[in-house]
Amino acid sequence: MAQITLDPHPLSIQGAVSSGIGVTARRPSPSYHHGMSPEETTEYLRRYREWFEEDRRIPPEPAPLFVRSLLVSEQLRRRSDLERASRYGAAGSGIQVFMTRVGFAKHSSATPIQELQPVRFADMLVGRAHVGNYLLCRVIAPCSRMVAIQTVIEDVDGVAYDLSIYNFPSTFDCTLEHLDALFPVGSVLAIREPTFKAPMQGDRPLVRVDSPTDISFVVPRSPLLDGVTWRTGLAVPGSHVSPSTLDAWQERGNGYFKASQWFLAAFAYSQGLAIQPDAPVLLLNRAEAYLRMKYYSGALCDAQRVLSTAGIQDAHVGRAVFRLAKAHYGRAEYAAAQQSFVRWKNAHPDDPAADSSIERCGARSKERATGQYDWASLFRTAKKKIRLDAAEYTGAMEVRTMDRRGGGRGVVATKYLQAGDLLMVTKPFVSVYASDLPKDRVIVTLDLISNTSKERTDALLLARIVEKISGNPDLHDEVFHLYAGPDYPQPPGRYPPAARAPVPVEPLNPKVDIDIAQLEAICTYNNFSPYRLENYHADEHGAKPTGLYPLASLFNHSCSANAVWYCIGDVMVIRATGPIPAGTEITIPYTVEESYQDRQAVLKKHMLEHCTCSLCEEDRKDGEDRLRKRHELKQRVASASFLAASLTEAREFEKSVRDTFRSTRGPVRPLLALALHAVAEKLRASGNARQLKEALQQDMEALRCFGFEVSQRQGGSQGSTRLPIGTDRFPAVTSFFEPTTMMLRIACTYLNLDEEANGELWIKAALWLTNASVGGGKELFMLVHEEALKQMNIYDYAARVL
């Protein structure tokens, strides 16, 4: 990867200090370089945390003054560098690599600005969050952006410092022109409880804003400007005159809308609404822009506001009703959506879109009530489009506080469950996949909570969660009632939280408070890597998907769980693996790695240091030496040399793996299952009848090592229906793909031996396991395993006998 190395904190140029006061010299922060190993990253984060805590202990102090013209010229240089780098990267010569850290203490305000007192830079101290105050300031230089938005601001006295804004909606991968539209030179901002911090490099302090909800855009008639006089003059040099009429803002918003710049369109319409709050056209236009951004609460409130206006034109009523219907549908309020779509259809009987929309509302309502889905159709759609249109479903389960988990929450069965019973179908609050990432930049996220480097998708996930809550403030508790670690209060025992009424969305003045530090912690403890069923064997180009599935995150982990989860597109499906009595806790595996070390590495990212499941307990009893040797052997399984190994080498490998397990250990030995299957494949390659029969025994033993019950007696008679595996439960220590592949290979081998009755039973066993794991019956089975069945030349046979 060609790289353009850019410093995300480029504040090392020393400004001209016009006072003798200086910030206390600080020890340089530890250095990080892209490409560090996991061990090096952990050590770096340990040293960084020590440095951070040491830096926090420095008492707050006054800031030196800097010549504003030099601050502006330095910001202009940064902007020019980024424009040049953007052109360079666009030419295909490099990828910009940035680094950001999450999981350290930071302040976000929860106090309405009306209850805060104004503060000026002269009264602010470096190293302090100014709780109880707000800073009124103006943008005096064009913005730049790496991880944060950077610019220069002045207070009413004309004193200037740098400003860094993180997590602002719509800006994760935006253009510099987008930033110019949001924060043009001359913009007046009010920053709630601003943090004035020392720079990581150089001597220039800066204002850092982590939560975008701490920023309000101050419009000309705002009470915050009463009695305010800017010492440097009425206008900032270089600023452009903003529209001053409703029509002008509407025209600007329409231009952005036509260019598919939804946030800027809504931003412009909001400026016009600040002039005339009940302008129906602007409310309707903003509602449509909100719908495009999935700001369903904002769209619903704007549509309702239009409909509640007396004497509104019929044309406006129709548009408001249709947008109201779409907003209800986006909020999964299917009955209300259907009612509004019917109202629209009654007024527009010739509109074909109304019928399909009404039909979709009915389909979603049925899914939610019954848990009955067209899984095969969803699978086909997911191969083309990740994000699916499906309702959520909750089966016989509920969230409870768990005494055995120290009062934390878990999920329990509310009735007796059996293998394959559907427990939950849920969609992510937000999910991010490799295809969502920008092509010209990489953000490396280092997590000080888990001491790990997070996935490339995590930074965008955090940004999109912020955006979704900003546009749907009533969903705040759905995220913030999740566990955030020991540094935060224990969340309520009840989940999901009670539904809240939709809240109007005002981009100029946010109606919700987002605590970014708590949100970062919530993501660390609760995120999933939602591997897609339809893309299970595909390469994700090095970027693993990340998703926040709030209700699913309430399931506690066990490597030997009694439920499993899979995703079709972005839809997560959770099913029982065997009998679960009412009142029993339901657990799911967060990982199914065969190696103990690999499982622990994954669990570490979920802040689980010591899994007490039966599989991990058995592994630990094997001893560290055996575990280390087994882990080394595991690394060979996917290597090219292993795939090309001879039968003799495969047998030697199987023996080496077997020796890493105690002889007294129980039957579940996942890595040995893979080793046995490797031997079976080498035996099959000979085509010799004797070796084909041995291959069958090797694969059957492999299935037992995964935890399946396999019938000792093979040789089903024609018409026999009893499957060769136990069907009261199936193991969760591996995905269903590996054992299903083994079952299909067994079936293929029996067919090669002209034992069709056995072949048919093993294909039916593979169907049973797939259906118990993900549902969908024969149709989904044929889709999921289509490639494997065709490679084995048994696709048509399976279609006939199933």
Side-chain angles (χ1 to χ4, degrees):
M1 178 187 293
Q3 297 180 11
I4 301 173
T5 302
L6 293 174
D7 182 1
H9 304 282
L11 302 177
S12 57
I13 301 297
Q14 308 249 338
V17 180
S18 59
S19 80
I21 302 173
V23 176
T24 298
R26 285 164 157 80
R27 182 166 64 89
S29 66
S31 60
Y32 172 85
H33 64 82
H34 184 51
M36 279 185 170
S37 68
E39 294 76 19
E40 290 172 328
T41 299
T42 297
E43 175 59 21
Y44 163 78
L45 288 169
R46 184 193 64 77
R47 290 187 288 110
Y48 181 85
R49 186 182 293 102
E50 289 179 354
W51 173 86
F52 181 79
E53 294 301 326
E54 176 185 309
D55 192 73
R56 289 179 69 191
R57 288 193 291 270
I58 297 175
E61 55 189 331
L65 296 176
F66 292 86
V67 176
R68 55 182 281 136
S69 61
L70 291 180
L71 295 179
V72 171
S73 64
E74 172 59 18
Q75 175 61 19
L76 290 171
R77 183 193 66 78
R78 287 200 291 261
R79 168 78 175 228
S80 177
D81 287 346
L82 277 178
E83 290 173 338
R84 185 168 55 254
S86 178
R87 290 193 297 271
Y88 181 57
S93 302
I95 295 176
Q96 300 177 41
V97 180
F98 303 102
M99 183 268 288
T100 188
R101 305 171 194 84
V102 298
F104 60 88
K106 51 181 72 74
H107 181 73
S108 299
S109 180
T111 305
I113 200 164
Q114 297 83 357
E115 299 177 17
L116 301 176
Q117 298 299 313
V119 68
R120 305 182 182 199
F121 278 126
D123 300 317
M124 292 173 65
L125 298 176
V126 177
R128 171 175 292 176
H130 293 79
V131 177
N133 300 108
Y134 71 89
L135 174 66
L136 191 68
C137 57
R138 294 195 296 191
V139 176
I140 62 173
C143 291
S144 58
R145 178 189 58 82
M146 294 185 203
V147 175
I149 300 167
Q150 293 177 312
T151 187
V152 182
I153 54 174
E154 66 170 5
D155 68 0
V156 294
D157 295 330
V159 178
Y161 288 99
D162 292 294
L163 169 67
S164 290
I165 303 172
Y166 290 79
N167 306 303
F168 197 86
S170 80
T171 64
F172 183 85
D173 191 35
C174 73
T175 64
L176 294 173
E177 291 74 21
H178 185 100
L179 295 179
D180 292 340
L182 283 177
F183 300 98
V185 173
S187 298
V188 181
L189 308 176
I191 302 174
R192 295 190 296 163
E193 302 187 334
T195 296
F196 203 23
K197 70 182 294 291
M200 293 188 63
Q201 304 172 38
D203 61 356
R204 281 178 12 206
L206 69 150
V207 176
R208 173 170 174 142
V209 179
D210 284 283
S211 176
T213 59
D214 288 348
I215 295 178
S216 292
F217 293 82
V218 182
V219 296
R221 297 173 182 81
S222 170
L224 296 179
L225 294 177
D226 291 347
V228 171
T229 301
W230 299 92
R231 182 167 295 181
T232 55
L234 189 61
V236 175
S239 61
H240 298 284
V241 178
S242 295
S244 58
T245 66
L246 180 149
D247 289 341
W249 279 115
Q250 179 179 333
E251 182 179 357
R252 177 173 289 190
N254 291 347
Y256 288 134
F257 191 93
K258 290 176 182 177
S260 301
Q261 295 179 293
W262 318 122
F263 190 89
L264 293 182
F267 193 78
Y269 296 141
S270 298
Q271 296 275 10
L273 287 165
I275 299 171
Q276 185 179 331
D278 293 319
V281 174
L282 286 184
L283 285 169
L284 288 168
N285 289 358
R286 188 172 71 171
E288 186 61 35
Y290 282 161
L291 287 171
R292 304 299 176 95
M293 295 187 289
K294 301 183 179 180
Y295 283 21
Y296 297 120
S297 296
L300 186 143
C301 289
D302 281 358
Q304 287 178 329
R305 198 160 145 194
V306 172
L307 291 171
S308 66
T309 303
I312 199 72
Q313 297 178 21
D314 288 346
H316 293 337
V317 171
R319 293 167 65 195
V321 167
F322 199 67
R323 283 161 203 184
L324 180 68
K326 290 193 288 185
H328 277 307
Y329 191 89
R331 289 168 52 82
E333 297 166 343
Y334 302 121
Q338 187 169 18
Q339 184 178 13
S340 293
F341 279 127
V342 169
R343 181 179 174 186
W344 166 264
K345 178 177 173 58
N346 291 338
H348 303 81
D350 297 329
D351 182 7
D355 290 328
S356 62
S357 297
I358 293 169
E359 184 179 338
R360 284 194 302 139
C361 290
R364 299 294 84 77
S365 295
K366 181 180 178 181
E367 289 167 351
R368 172 183 285 172
T370 65
Q372 296 175 7
Y373 295 79
D374 187 342
W375 295 116
S377 177
L378 288 172
F379 184 87
R380 291 188 188 96
T381 303
K383 292 182 77 70
K384 298 175 288 186
K385 183 177 68 173
I386 297 174
R387 293 175 174 89
L388 301 179
D389 182 13
E392 295 191 306
Y393 168 81
T394 302
M397 46 149 282
E398 66 180 11
V399 175
R400 293 182 188 171
T401 55
M402 311 293 291
D403 292 338
R404 62 181 292 266
R405 296 189 182 275
R409 296 173 297 185
V411 176
V412 300
T414 57
K415 72 173 188 178
Y416 181 81
L417 299 169
Q418 299 181 47
D421 280 353
L422 182 62
L423 300 172
M424 178 187 292
V425 178
T426 186
K427 298 198 68 179
F429 191 85
V430 169
S431 58
V432 176
Y433 302 86
S435 57
D436 297 321
L437 296 175
K439 302 298 187 289
D440 61 344
R441 62 201 300 258
V442 171
I443 296 181
V444 178
T445 303
L446 303 181
D447 186 358
L448 275 81
I449 300 174
S450 63
N451 280 335
T452 61
S453 176
K454 304 190 84 171
E455 303 299 340
R456 283 175 48 197
T457 47
D458 276 276
L460 180 53
L461 184 88
L462 182 75
R464 289 191 172 175
I465 293 173
V466 170
E467 290 204 33
K468 183 165 181 176
I469 295 175
S470 297
N472 303 272
D474 51 298
L475 300 183
H476 174 275
D477 290 352
E478 188 174 332
V479 173
F480 281 85
H481 282 194
L482 296 177
Y483 183 66
D487 294 335
Y488 293 89
Q490 192 81 353
R494 174 182 175 179
Y495 196 93
R500 295 170 54 186
V503 177
V505 174
E506 296 294 342
L508 306 181
N509 186 22
K511 302 297 184 184
V512 64
D513 299 319
I514 300 178
D515 185 329
I516 293 295
Q518 185 176 356
L519 180 57
E520 290 173 352
I522 286 169
C523 288
T524 293
Y525 281 92
N526 296 279
N527 282 356
F528 282 85
S529 289
Y531 292 106
R532 296 155 49 208
L533 192 64
E534 73 283 357
N535 201 43
Y536 190 81
H537 296 295
D539 180 12
E540 279 283 353
H541 307 293
K544 295 179 181 179
T546 307
L548 179 63
Y549 290 78
L551 186 53
S553 71
L554 273 293
F555 286 87
N556 288 308
H557 162 80
S558 174
C559 302
S560 50
N562 56 9
V564 291
W565 62 276
Y566 295 95
C567 289
I568 298 177
D570 65 339
V571 174
M572 182 183 290
V573 183
I574 302 179
R575 292 181 181 271
T577 63
I580 305 176
T584 302
E585 183 178 11
I586 305 171
T587 57
I588 60 174
Y590 294 175
T591 176
V592 291
E593 295 288 344
E594 293 85 8
S595 160
Y596 176 83
Q597 287 88 335
D598 287 341
R599 294 200 307 277
Q600 299 312 302
V602 174
L603 295 178
K604 180 182 178 183
K605 292 192 175 186
H606 291 277
M607 301 304 294
L608 294 172
E609 295 292 341
H610 188 78
C611 179
T612 58
C613 76
S614 59
L615 179 62
C616 287
E617 291 289 359
E618 285 286 287
D619 278 344
R620 282 190 286 268
K621 289 177 183 177
D622 286 334
E624 291 186 7
D625 290 342
R626 286 193 180 98
L627 289 177
R628 184 165 47 252
K629 177 63 175 177
R630 193 183 307 157
H631 181 66
E632 293 171 358
L633 292 168
K634 167 64 169 58
Q635 309 312 307
R636 292 173 50 190
V637 170
S639 67
S641 60
F642 180 78
L643 296 175
S646 66
L647 173 59
T648 299
E649 290 170 329
R651 289 190 190 277
E652 290 174 352
F653 178 80
E654 183 268 330
K655 182 180 183 305
S656 296
V657 172
R658 189 181 294 274
D659 288 344
T660 68
F661 295 94
R662 290 169 293 117
S663 59
T664 57
R665 177 176 166 137
V668 179
R669 309 178 184 195
L671 186 58
L672 184 55
L674 298 185
L676 287 162
H677 180 60
V679 173
E681 289 296 274
K682 300 303 176 183
L683 289 165
R684 285 190 184 94
S686 71
N688 177 280
R690 181 182 59 80
Q691 291 192 321
L692 288 178
K693 291 179 180 179
E694 185 184 352
L696 292 173
Q697 297 307 311
Q698 294 286 318
D699 267 341
M700 290 177 196
E701 186 182 353
L703 290 171
R704 294 187 186 99
C705 287
F706 275 139
F708 287 88
E709 293 181 6
V710 180
S711 173
Q712 295 291 338
R713 188 178 67 84
Q714 299 294 313
S717 59
Q718 195 71 31
S720 173
T721 60
R722 184 175 180 179
L723 297 183
I725 61 170
T727 56
D728 65 326
R729 67 181 70 245
F730 60 93
V733 299
T734 182
S735 82
F736 73 91
F737 275 99
E738 286 77 10
T740 300
T741 299
M742 294 177 187
M743 293 176 192
L744 292 175
R745 294 297 282 158
I746 291 172
C748 188
T749 303
Y750 272 124
L751 292 175
N752 288 336
L753 291 169
D754 294 324
E755 297 184 31
E756 186 171 332
N758 278 324
E760 179 179 336
L761 289 178
W762 277 101
I763 288 179
K764 289 181 176 179
L767 168 61
W768 178 87
L769 177 59
T770 301
N771 188 58
S773 300
V774 295
K778 172 185 173 180
E779 189 176 4
L780 183 59
F781 172 84
M782 297 300 293
L783 288 170
V784 170
H785 302 295
E786 179 178 6
E787 182 178 347
L789 290 167
K790 288 182 176 178
Q791 285 179 348
M792 299 179 203
N793 201 28
I794 57 172
Y795 182 86
D796 292 338
Y797 177 79
R800 186 173 75 252
V801 301
L802 292 179

